[in-house]
Structures are given as C-alpha cells and as structure tokens.
Amino acid sequence: MTRFVQRRRAFLSTVAGIGLGGITGLGSRAMARSTSRPAESGKAPNIIFILADDLGYADVSCFGTPGFTTPSIDRIAHEGIKLTRAYANSAVCSATRTALITGRYQDRIACGLEEPIASSSGKVGLPPGLPTLPEQLHRAGYETALVGKWHLGNPPEFGPLKSGYDHFYGISGGAADYFTHQGKPGEDQFYRDDHLIHDHGYLTRLLGDEAVRLVDSFAGRAAPFFLSLHFNAPHWPWEGPEDEAESKRLKGKIFDYDGGTQKTYGRMVRAMDDQIGRVLAALDSHHLTENTIVVFTSDNGGERFSDIWPFTGMKGELLEGGLRVPAVLRWPARVTAGSESDQTLITMDWLPSFLAAAGATPDATFPSDGTSLLPFVLDPSKRQSRSLFWRYKIHDQHAHLDGDYKYLKIGDNEFLFDVVSDPRERANLKDRKPELFARLKKEWAAWNATMLPFPKGSYSWGADGPHFADHYGVPKSDD
C-alpha cells in the first residue's frame, strides 16, 4: 500500500468524523496521482521555504530601515528577486498556513476559519490525507521536511507527518517560550517526527541546527528536497538569545503584554537571520546553491514592535499593514540576481509555483486558487492584474483587491482605496468612484457566498484597547 493511499484512507476516516462541511472541492472523487515531468533545467530544483512569524513588512533591512540589519535575508534578495507586493492569505498565522499548505483560500476548510487555531480548539486541524504542497512534491520525487512551527492541529489526530512531510522537528502549536518550548506551563509541544522531545536551547538556534543537519543529509542523496523552515520568531514572548531570565520571569505565561522593547525585537529578528545565514552557508558548502530555490517571507503582518512602514494596521486587521509581507526569492540557475518585481502575489501562490518549478502536474481533484509566480520571477517585466479576497471574523472585516483598488470594510465602516498611490489607506474614494466601489463590494459578496460560513464559536484574535494603547476605542472581543 502506497503512502498516499494510506493517507487518503486516513483522510476519508477523518471526514467521516468531522463531516464534509469541513472541506470543499473533494466530494467522493478519488484523488488523482500527480504526474511529473523533468524541470527545464534538467534536475528538479531543491526548495527551501523560510517563513517568519508576525514579521512586519519593513522588519528586514532590504525592505526598510530598522535599527538593525538582516544580511542573510538581504543576501537572498541581492542574489535573487525582491517581491515588493506580496500579501498574506490572512492577517493571522494558522489561517495563512492553511492556505500555504493547500494552495487554496483558507476559508474552504474548517481549520482555516479559526483565527488562529487556539490550543483549546481540541479537534480542529488540517484533515489528514489532503493533496498538500509537501504531499504533491513527495509524489514528484521530493524528500520533504518541516522544521519549526506547525499550528495546524495537535497530534495525534493531526500533524505534519499526516499531511505530506516525511520529517518534523518543531512545535505543534501557535506559540512557545524560546527556552522551555512550551505553549503553556507544563504543556509540552516540541516534537521530533511524532515523538515529544526536550531539547535544550534557544528555539531559533535549535531550528537552525536542524535545518543545517537536514541540508547536510539531503546533499548526499539523489532526490531533490523540499524543506519548510518555519521559524517561531519574532512572535511573542519577547525573548532574545540572551534572555533566559525573562523566560523565568514569565513562568510559562507567554502571552506577553508587559515585556519586550524594540531592541529585544531586533535581537530576535537578527537571531533568525543568523540561522538563515547558516542554512545558506550549508547550501554553499555542498554546491547546492545554484539549483536551490530559497524563499523568505512572513505569515502575516507585524505585531507590537514591528515596522510596517509605509502601511497602517497590524496583525489581525485587513489594512495593508496586517496583510503586506516582505518576500524574496533566490534561484541562481533561473532568476536574475538583483531583480525586483511589484507583481501582486499571495501566500497560496507558492503551491502552484513550486509544483511548476518541480515539473509536477497539480492534483486536478484539489485545484489551487493561486497562480504560478514563475513567469514573473523569471521575467520581472511581466505583470498580471490580480483579484483577491479576504475576510476576518473580528470586527466583521472584508477586503477585495482588484488591481490597484481595494474595497475594505471594518465594522460598519466601508472604504475604497488606491493602495498603490495611497498605501497608508487615507483617501476614501467610495464617493468619488461609486460604481467601482459597488462592483468590488458585490464581487466580494459573491466570493464570500462560495466559502464556508464562520462557526458561531470560532476564535478570532484582534488588538484591543485594554492591551494596545493605539487601539483605545476598540473593545475586547468575546470570541
């Protein structure tokens, strides 16, 4: 019995337990096995996808001017392409991760409706057996591994090994103390494959160690590899590499409202950048750099100490600051060094992009809502207008981007912005362009009707007045 057939059976068993309302697009159709063809350059490229957690658009030095530098991330940009108009699928982490691994709007799957999946959500998670990004790459001949944050449902019901990864080293939940690696006092969540472990050390460094070890291991094998390196940094708690005393002060209560500074935040980002540098050096040492795609981006916009210039808003909001993320890609064999593109892209585009680079045919029974970015990274002069949609439960937020214009609803307030000319979203054009405003609003409603409804009890996080002084008029949510 093949691994895919085993997972398919597990998936059907899961669906029987949760009901088909938790997923769309499959019905009773059998999963079609992807076929593959050689990549244009001969051997299919290795792929390393690096994801930061809650990183602001300008939190890396090639995108902004923070009080620190990120030379390793900058190296990816300088030796590849800088993607200046990248969007996250959601303004919060696990919803975006659902879109990343499925290549679809997260609103099509029950776990994608949690904003984010909370540790108390119990049986909520990504159904095993889906033709995910790692699963489809595995069928195309890739070895697959996830190092870092999973946050798509807790084992044993859910987990990376049930969704296409051959290997897992990291945390299962949405946050962890950087020294104890726990999400709550006494709550172990650090795994190697499907076994809980207790490695000692600063989490960011441990993830870098494992990523380098895997590159060293993959280098001696014939098959290409897909390595997802999903750092927890710079998500709270605010602990740099030398801040174990802060970890002891918190005593495991890591929802950290009274800690942190801009300097601490900078040390956290720099620690992540250092580990990325070690991964790049490992590729160099094994002569793998030329035909390895390396992508760096974030799961959503920044939080408390982030720099989101030139935008407004933050994580949990559909303003540009909650959705716009830095993104850089390097593939020396195919992509011109030092190039730049303002082509609009979104998280779910990475699945069709990586499959195209691998020469794989996407699973026809589970079509992606994204589009391949290969034409735009290989030829930065190319452009394609995009029509993209978002929703966020707290404050009933809606957004629809069509080209340069964005329809936005927050609470009872509605807006129309030209986000290219007005990236800070200040000039409300809804009365100047009433027909455009009406069309985008109507198209959002039509899209929303095709998505799953938010369950009454689903969780949705947002900044509020009691915890964020710049949100002084925003009440605390009861969701």
Side-chain angles (χ1 to χ4, degrees):
M1 183 183 296
T2 67
R3 187 181 78 156
F4 182 65
V5 171
Q6 290 174 326
R7 286 185 176 150
R8 173 61 176 162
R9 290 182 177 179
F11 165 65
L12 290 174
S13 175
T14 301
V15 168
I18 65 174
L20 288 174
I23 182 170
T24 63
L26 287 178
S28 60
R29 295 174 296 178
M31 293 283 197
R33 183 179 180 85
S34 293
T35 59
S36 61
R37 58 185 183 279
E40 291 182 20
S41 59
K43 182 181 178 181
N46 305 308
I47 302 169
I48 298 180
F49 183 80
I50 307 172
L51 191 66
D53 196 354
D54 292 0
L55 189 76
Y57 183 84
D59 278 337
V60 295
S61 45
C62 60
F63 275 77
T65 54
F68 52 88
T69 59
T70 52
S72 302
I73 298 167
D74 292 356
R75 179 188 171 189
I76 300 171
H78 296 156
E79 296 178 0
I81 186 168
K82 181 178 172 182
L83 303 165
T84 61
R85 203 174 176 200
Y87 285 87
N89 256 80
S90 176
V92 77
C93 45
S94 60
T96 294
R97 293 162 198 269
T98 301
L100 170 66
I101 201 169
T102 65
R104 315 179 94 201
Y105 281 112
Q106 65 276 10
D107 311 87
R108 296 186 184 278
I109 298 178
C111 67
L113 304 180
E114 299 291 328
E115 298 172 341
I117 296 174
S119 59
S120 59
S121 296
K123 302 298 183 181
V124 177
L126 185 73
L130 294 177
T132 61
L133 172 57
E135 181 62 64
Q136 293 190 65
L137 285 173
H138 182 90
R139 284 185 268 156
Y142 278 70
E143 298 187 70
T144 61
L146 170 61
V147 175
K149 176 175 171 176
W150 167 243
H151 202 189
L152 289 176
N154 294 328
E157 291 85 1
F158 311 101
L161 301 188
K162 294 186 176 182
S163 290
Y165 288 108
D166 299 314
H167 176 64
F168 173 48
Y169 178 86
I171 60 170
S172 59
D177 185 278
Y178 285 81
F179 295 92
T180 70
H181 315 142
Q182 295 180 341
K184 293 181 180 179
E187 181 188 83
D188 291 330
Q189 58 162 341
F190 201 4
Y191 284 83
R192 180 176 290 280
D193 295 330
D194 54 359
H195 302 291
L196 285 168
I197 59 173
H198 298 279
D199 284 359
H200 178 73
Y202 187 66
L203 181 57
T204 304
R205 173 74 190 209
L206 292 176
L207 300 181
D209 289 345
E210 182 70 4
V212 169
R213 187 193 72 78
L214 283 169
V215 171
D216 291 343
S217 175
F218 290 143
R221 304 175 191 175
F225 64 83
F226 171 57
L227 171 59
S228 293
L229 177 53
H230 295 183
F231 286 102
N232 192 47
H235 193 289
W236 48 263
W238 314 112
E239 299 169 354
E242 309 302 323
D243 292 336
E244 191 164 5
E246 178 68 1
S247 171
K248 293 177 180 178
R249 182 189 75 85
L250 291 172
K251 298 179 180 179
K253 299 178 181 179
I254 63 172
F255 211 104
D256 190 3
Y257 284 122
D258 66 349
T261 65
Q262 274 76 20
K263 288 185 178 180
T264 299
Y265 184 80
R267 289 195 297 268
M268 296 169 72
V269 176
R270 279 299 305 267
M272 176 177 63
D273 187 78
D274 289 344
Q275 299 311 309
I276 293 170
R278 294 179 62 214
V279 174
L280 298 180
L283 292 174
D284 292 341
S285 69
H286 294 293
H287 308 288
L288 296 175
T289 300
E290 185 73 8
N291 198 34
T292 298
I293 298 172
V294 179
V295 171
F296 173 82
T297 188
S298 181
D299 60 351
N300 47 253
E303 224 230 61
R304 264 156 281 186
F305 297 106
S306 295
D307 186 347
I308 49 84
W309 182 264
F311 312 119
T312 57
M314 60 175 285
K315 173 183 175 179
E317 297 168 351
L318 299 187
L319 289 151
E320 294 288 280
L323 295 173
R324 292 288 290 273
V325 291
V328 293
L329 179 151
R330 187 186 75 175
W331 187 11
R334 302 288 303 279
V335 174
T336 303
S339 51
E340 185 173 308
S341 172
D342 63 358
Q343 168 63 39
T344 301
L345 65 100
I346 192 168
T347 309
M348 62 189 177
D349 293 337
W350 294 116
L351 182 146
S353 302
F354 292 153
L355 291 178
T361 302
D363 194 307
T365 68
F366 200 68
S368 174
D369 292 314
T371 188
S372 173
L373 302 173
L374 281 195
F376 312 109
V377 299
L378 299 181
D379 182 357
S381 67
K382 290 186 176 179
R383 296 290 182 278
Q384 176 182 316
S385 183
R386 301 294 299 277
S387 183
L388 302 172
F389 302 89
W390 294 267
R391 62 184 191 178
Y392 201 79
K393 183 179 178 182
I394 195 170
H395 309 311
D396 191 26
Q397 298 179 65
H398 309 169
H400 172 23
L401 180 74
D402 187 25
D404 295 349
Y405 289 94
K406 176 180 171 185
Y407 162 70
L408 177 65
K409 176 183 181 295
I410 303 178
D412 295 327
N413 303 310
E414 294 181 300
F415 309 89
L416 176 67
F417 296 117
D418 179 342
V419 295
V420 173
S421 299
D422 176 25
R424 292 183 65 75
E425 295 172 286
R426 300 300 198 191
N428 188 1
L429 304 176
K430 72 172 185 177
D431 293 330
R432 289 180 59 181
K433 296 179 178 289
E435 293 181 359
L436 177 59
F437 172 80
R439 177 174 67 82
L440 297 188
K441 181 177 178 178
K442 182 178 179 180
E443 289 174 355
W444 183 91
W447 167 82
N448 184 58
T450 68
M451 300 293 120
L452 296 176
F454 283 115
K456 184 178 180 181
S458 64
Y459 179 64
S460 187
W461 181 90
D464 56 43
H467 297 104
F468 294 81
D470 59 351
H471 288 63
Y472 56 88
V474 181
K476 192 176 188 304
S477 173
D478 294 327
D479 290 325

